[in-house]
Amino acid sequence: MTARKSVRLDLADLRADLDAIAGWIQPGERVLDLGCGDGLLLRRLMDEKQVIGYGIEKDPAGVLACLKSGVNVIQVNLERGLAGFEDGAFDHVIMSLSLQMIQNTVGLLKELLRVGHEAVVSFPNFGYYTHRQAILKGRMPVSESLPYQWFDTPNVRFFTIADFESLCQEQGIAILETIALDNGARVTEDINFLADTAIYRLGRP
Amino acid sequence: MNDVLPGSVGLVRPQTFHCAVPLPLKSGAVLPEFTLVYETYGTLNADASNAVLVCHALSGNHHVAGYTDAADQEGTLGWWDNLVGPGKPLDTNKFFVVGVNNLGGCYGSSGPNTVNQKTGKLYGADFPVVTVEDWVDAQARLADHLGVASWAAVVGGSLGGMQALQWTLSYPARLQHAVVIASAPTLTAQNIAFNEVARQAILTDPEFYGGHYYEQGVVPARGLKLARMLGHITYLSDDQMAEKFGRSLKDGALKYSYETDFQIESYLRYQGEKFSGYFDANTYLLTTKALDYFDPAVSTGGNLDAALAGAQADFLVVAFTTDWRFSPERSREIMTALVHNGRRVSYAEIDSVHGHDSFLMDDAQYHAVLRTYFEEVVL
């Protein structure tokens, strides 16, 4: 999961994503950021919100980048879950733009809400209208929010906003707040069609 | 000075610290006085804020870096010379680094092979059993002597990592950073079991004489050799052994006898032989006991979170994927306990084929992690 470090994601989306997440974090909280990349978000939360923050990153270069920025980094593989962390150890567990790179989606979502009182999850929306157009034309979508070719994508799960909300309902996960974005700008209507990125604040069942 | 190895601290000389103030030990015994042998590298800065203590593991000593014989530089290098030196990850241009031989050691610090001032004879088996806590207490006396009120960092691998961890509990205000490498919050039953077999090899050697073998003019070399052979197996990974030795034969053909058939046998015998020629059996016994006894959570009913609650240092915890003697799981226990206490901690899990011995190797990612961490240490 190299997530935010190496991807060619649109910067406007990335900034908007991080802005939205930062807005949900209260000063002094304990925060765990899964797939933290180079620690950009945590560094910001440490500086702006004085959080006690930890990032999980398995990529060796990401680990070094975090250490260089003075961000606490923990090098473990998320596919193994968050074993060892006690229930409710964090106020917020964040997973920014990397849920689609994890095989064990349901298991990890449960882990997020076990170790965190709340979770913040963002992901690229495969239901975005340009993605649908690409499929109609017979090609897999490639866009600013899905910058990869089908043969080199780190993404292993392909889902839309509607898919995600349906899974939350099925698993009894409470959707506390939603922010939908199109090229970094807020979208409020027909978000499964018009938003390229969605950010959720999730609560325990 | 073109004879100096690149990046080396150069020729070093051990120093001696004698402490006449009695040291109470965890066992209840008291050492009336003691001596520690140590080396230093780099220069202590004006406000003594750049001192780093390097703690050694089972068979290590105070000679961490540089060489002790200018005519044989490569042959007399310190055991962690690849880490410590000018421009190296633990940079002696920035830090004042201290290596110390622990109490009970056999390299000049007070131990079984030194003279008991009370009797005028070598301590032998009468040297008291010392613990990680006792070592740290003695190291704190050395810190006082050096004028170091607070270490910038205390660093150690394996048993050395346990000392770094213990520092944060015994003297929480006296260090800024603890670097705990290839270590564990306690030994597992399997680990104690290995130690016990090693001890039995020594204790049942006919030349052990209850630990008073010095007086007999002999050493329990066979026991010590066996102990080392066993230990050595556990420091390497299965894969690495397969790759390095496989089933290759020493002399090209099976001998159908109990001579050495396989290369691995020859290698282990050589390592055991070599070790028994320079290490002290009583020190080996005592040090394995210190390992077995270490358990900071014993006073909190096994709750490591509670045990580490008093720590104030920032931590770097490092583990190696193929280390099965001090597995990554055990390092993660330390890491999660520190997270639960809201301490600053980073944890690196290094992909390495070298098993427990990895912590002594100069793996690129491992050293990059240490270099970056030490660079960020603010003095």
Side-chain angles (χ1 to χ4, degrees):
Chain A
M1 224 184 40
T2 49
R4 274 164 273 150
K5 177 180 56 69
S6 59
V7 292
R8 295 153 279 169
L9 270 177
D10 177 34
L11 265 180
D13 267 354
L14 183 59
R15 285 208 191 93
D17 176 60
L18 300 188
D19 281 346
I21 294 170
W24 287 335
I25 306 298
Q26 301 305 309
E29 280 193 358
R30 290 189 182 198
V31 174
L32 182 67
D33 183 8
L34 307 185
C36 70
D38 58 9
L40 184 71
L41 172 64
L42 278 172
R43 185 68 258 174
R44 176 173 163 180
L45 292 174
M46 287 164 71
D47 293 341
E48 291 177 9
K49 299 280 175 86
Q50 293 74 50
V51 301
I52 299 169
Y54 305 88
I56 291 188
E57 180 56 54
K58 78 171 183 194
D59 176 55
V63 170
L64 292 178
C66 287
L67 290 174
K68 201 148 203 67
S69 331
V71 168
N72 298 320
V73 63
I74 293 163
Q75 188 175 25
V76 295
N77 189 337
L78 281 182
E79 296 288 2
R80 285 200 297 238
L82 297 170
F85 292 106
E86 64 190 16
D87 296 0
F90 303 96
D91 297 298
H92 278 103
V93 179
I94 300 168
M95 194 156 189
S96 165
L97 301 174
S98 45
L99 186 65
Q100 75 282 359
M101 299 179 191
I102 291 291
Q103 293 272 0
N104 183 15
T105 315
V106 173
L108 192 66
L109 280 173
K110 285 185 174 163
E111 277 287 86
L112 258 61
L113 287 166
R114 178 182 69 80
V115 304
H117 291 284
E118 288 185 3
V120 173
V121 170
S122 67
F123 55 85
N125 176 26
F126 284 71
Y128 186 51
Y129 70 95
T130 67
H131 301 158
R132 299 189 194 196
Q133 285 166 348
I135 295 276
L136 278 177
K137 286 181 190 156
R139 299 296 300 267
M140 285 301 282
V142 176
S143 70
E144 283 172 338
S145 64
L146 290 178
Y148 299 98
Q149 295 291 341
W150 64 273
F151 51 83
D152 69 1
T153 180
N155 299 331
V156 297
R157 296 283 183 239
F158 307 94
F159 54 98
T160 67
I161 286 175
D163 290 328
F164 182 76
E165 292 190 353
S166 145
L167 180 70
C168 287
Q169 190 169 18
E170 201 178 286
Q171 297 295 327
I173 295 169
I175 294 175
L176 305 174
E177 223 170 323
T178 310
I179 293 177
L181 299 170
D182 177 17
N183 288 309
R186 286 288 286 265
V187 177
T188 49
E189 282 173 22
D190 203 2
I191 60 173
N192 196 35
F193 192 66
L194 296 176
D196 59 11
T197 304
I199 313 161
Y200 286 87
R201 188 162 68 85
L202 304 172
R204 293 173 174 184
Chain B
M1 291 283 281
N2 53 9
D3 61 338
V4 172
L5 289 166
S8 171
V9 298
L11 187 67
V12 290
R13 289 270 173 258
Q15 302 172 65
T16 300
F17 161 57
H18 182 78
C19 183
V21 181
L23 184 74
L25 303 173
K26 200 181 173 195
S27 65
V30 176
L31 263 185
E33 47 87 39
F34 65 92
T35 296
L36 291 179
V37 173
Y38 67 99
E39 288 181 4
T40 70
Y41 325 100
T43 310
L44 188 65
N45 63 9
D47 58 352
S49 66
N50 69 333
V52 173
L53 176 66
V54 174
C55 304
H56 69 74
L58 209 169
S59 58
N61 57 33
H62 55 283
H63 181 42
V64 175
Y67 46 83
T68 52
D69 180 355
D72 182 19
Q73 300 182 13
E74 291 281 5
T76 61
L77 279 181
W79 57 270
W80 223 352
D81 189 78
N82 63 26
L83 184 80
V84 180
K88 288 182 177 170
L90 182 47
D91 191 345
T92 50
N93 291 326
K94 175 178 181 180
F95 295 107
F96 172 71
V97 180
V98 179
V100 59
N101 186 211
N102 282 325
L103 280 182
C106 53
Y107 291 94
S109 292
S110 295
N113 69 351
T114 61
V115 175
N116 181 346
Q117 298 298 337
K118 241 199 275 184
T119 62
K121 293 201 291 188
L122 296 177
Y123 273 107
D126 297 335
F127 194 83
V129 171
V130 286
T131 63
V132 170
E133 292 93 322
D134 299 331
W135 284 337
V136 167
D137 287 343
Q139 290 162 0
R141 301 271 182 93
L142 175 63
D144 296 340
H145 170 72
L146 294 170
V148 175
S150 177
W151 299 100
V154 177
V155 184
S158 189
L159 177 56
M162 290 174 168
Q163 293 159 61
L165 182 58
Q166 186 59 42
W167 260 97
T168 71
L169 307 178
S170 294
Y171 301 96
R174 294 196 69 178
L175 71 166
Q176 308 303 310
H177 296 266
V179 179
V180 179
I181 305 168
S183 195
T186 55
L187 290 195
T188 59
Q190 186 193 49
N191 234 327
I192 295 171
F194 282 126
N195 282 346
E196 174 57 7
V197 175
R199 280 191 296 267
Q200 284 301 321
I202 293 169
L203 292 168
T204 58
D205 185 317
E207 296 192 319
F208 181 63
Y209 292 106
H212 293 289
Y213 46 86
Y214 313 109
E215 296 159 18
Q216 309 291 326
V218 294
V219 289
R222 276 166 292 179
L224 192 53
K225 175 182 166 183
L226 283 176
R228 183 59 166 183
M229 287 170 76
L230 174 69
H232 212 86
I233 298 167
T234 70
Y235 304 148
L236 305 179
S237 74
D238 192 14
D239 286 353
Q240 179 196 13
M241 262 202 205
E243 193 184 316
K244 194 166 170 185
F245 305 102
R247 292 181 56 83
S248 50
L249 300 175
K250 183 165 177 287
D251 299 314
L254 295 177
K255 294 170 184 159
Y256 298 97
S257 75
Y258 300 115
E259 300 296 304
T260 49
D261 281 315
F262 295 95
Q263 285 287 3
I264 182 63
E265 296 173 309
S266 166
Y267 172 80
L268 282 178
R269 287 185 189 194
Y270 170 76
Q271 290 294 337
E273 207 73 65
K274 195 173 72 167
F275 187 71
S276 66
Y278 65 79
F279 206 78
D280 181 76
N282 280 320
T283 292
Y284 200 92
L285 291 174
L286 175 150
T287 310
T288 58
K289 272 292 174 187
L291 270 162
D292 292 0
Y293 288 156
F294 184 67
D295 185 0
V298 80
S299 56
T300 55
N303 184 335
L304 190 62
D305 291 6
L308 303 191
Q312 295 172 23
D314 293 352
F315 284 79
L316 174 65
V317 179
V318 180
F320 300 91
T321 51
T322 53
D323 184 352
W324 56 278
R325 185 102 197 235
F326 288 79
S327 69
E329 285 78 6
R330 306 308 315 283
S331 282
R332 288 202 291 264
E333 287 177 36
I334 298 174
M335 177 270 291
T336 49
L338 292 166
V339 168
H340 293 154
N341 279 295
R343 294 251 54 81
R344 291 191 50 92
V345 54
S346 283
Y347 169 69
E349 198 168 296
I350 309 290
D351 250 316
S352 164
V353 298
H354 296 291
H356 186 53
D357 270 351
S358 298
F359 85 89
L360 296 167
M361 308 289 171
D362 61 353
D363 175 271
Q365 174 69 11
Y366 168 43
H367 270 200
V369 163
L370 291 178
R371 178 183 292 278
T372 308
Y373 191 83
F374 286 124
E375 277 171 0
E376 294 306 311
V377 169
V378 178
L379 301 180

